[in-house]
Amino acid sequence: MLKSARNLIIAPSLLAANFSRLDREIQRANRSGAEWIHLDIMDGHFVPNLSFGPEMAKTLRPMTFLFMDVHLMCECPEILIDPFHAAGAESITVHAELGFRVKDLLWQIKSRNVKTGLAVNPPTSMEVARPYLKQIDLLLIMTVNPGFGGQKFIPEMLPKIQTAAKWRQEKGLKFRIEVDGGINPNTGSQCTQAGADTLVAGSSLFSKPNLRAAVSHLRKASTH
Ligand code: DX5
Ligand code: ZN
């Protein structure tokens, strides 16, 4: 459980930003007190939606000092790792549902000196992620079915967070436990109580006129 606000990372998801005013939205994120910016990359195959690609990351990179956390919801991440690395991504997350390709994908990310992330969708068992725990810096537990922002948090995912925290402690590992989807001060608090230390939040943050106050509210509610 989090004992200090300093252990908690908040990652606003750009997907919920106003795309017609992106420069302003990035400035809001820069001044928000959040540590990371989360980029949701959707390919129209792995998830039924499209978002943006490495060019967006490259454009944003000089505009922000925030740690760039790239979440690839993509059928073929093999072709995206180098472009996102070149664009300045600091962590790249691929999905555990990609099966036998996961091991090589994590290796490919790590060999670029980028933090490695592994994501688990709601219907996927945590057992699928278990063989890779020593290889990763970040375990992303999806708390909605990926594809769209603004969905309702699935509370049945809380035991998965507890399992991840238990495994991490038992094995003496240091990977972060990130949650993504439907996170607000109420659900964020439930997730950190279960063992999460990294909160992705899109609509609950960017919809607020005062992003800094929204980040601070989420942080206070989620620190126990
Ligand atoms: C879901 C994405 C999320 C999403 C979160 O497909 O991976 O990162 O942007 O958005 P909210 O916080 O609105 O659920
Ligand atoms: Zn995401």
Side-chain angles (χ1 to χ4, degrees), residues 140-157:
L140 172 50
I141 297 173
M142 291 305 302
T143 43
V144 299
N145 285 302
F148 301 91
Q151 302 184 74
K152 202 172 166 291
F153 177 80
I154 305 173
E156 288 77 13
M157 297 302 109

Side-chain angles (χ1 to χ4, degrees), residues 200-216:
V200 175
S203 36
S204 77
L205 295 180
F206 276 104
S207 66
K208 301 288 189 306
N210 187 339
L211 185 56
R212 189 173 174 84
V215 167
S216 165

Side-chain angles (χ1 to χ4, degrees), residues 30 68 76 82 103 121 137 159 192 218:
N30 285 345
M68 204 178 266
C76 194
D82 279 337
K103 186 166 178 263
N121 276 341
D137 300 299
T192 54
L218 177 58

Side-chain angles (χ1 to χ4, degrees), residues 13 38-40 71 73 140 142 180 200:
S13 168
H38 183 83
L39 303 190
D40 283 307
H71 176 194
M73 286 162 274
L140 172 50
M142 291 305 302
D180 186 2
V200 175

Side-chain angles (χ1 to χ4, degrees), residues 103-197:
K103 186 166 178 263
D104 282 355
L105 283 164
L106 294 175
W107 180 87
Q108 198 186 335
I109 298 167
K110 192 150 228 129
S111 68
R112 272 48 168 189
N113 216 11
V114 172
K115 301 277 185 218
T116 54
L118 184 63
V120 181
N121 276 341
T124 304
S125 158
M126 288 292 284
E127 289 300 326
V128 177
R130 200 172 186 163
Y132 307 107
L133 298 179
K134 282 191 183 148
Q135 251 185 293
I136 60 175
D137 300 299
L138 186 69
L139 182 60
L140 172 50
I141 297 173
M142 291 305 302
T143 43
V144 299
N145 285 302
F148 301 91
Q151 302 184 74
K152 202 172 166 291
F153 177 80
I154 305 173
E156 288 77 13
M157 297 302 109
L158 290 167
K160 282 179 151 181
I161 303 170
Q162 289 170 336
T163 300
K166 183 169 154 273
W167 286 348
R168 181 172 65 179
Q169 197 193 16
E170 281 172 3
K171 294 175 198 295
L173 296 171
K174 290 200 164 62
F175 58 85
R176 300 198 70 90
I177 300 174
E178 184 176 44
V179 286
D180 186 2
I183 301 297
N184 57 39
N186 175 31
T187 57
S189 164
Q190 295 175 46
C191 289
T192 54
Q193 282 186 57
D197 52 36

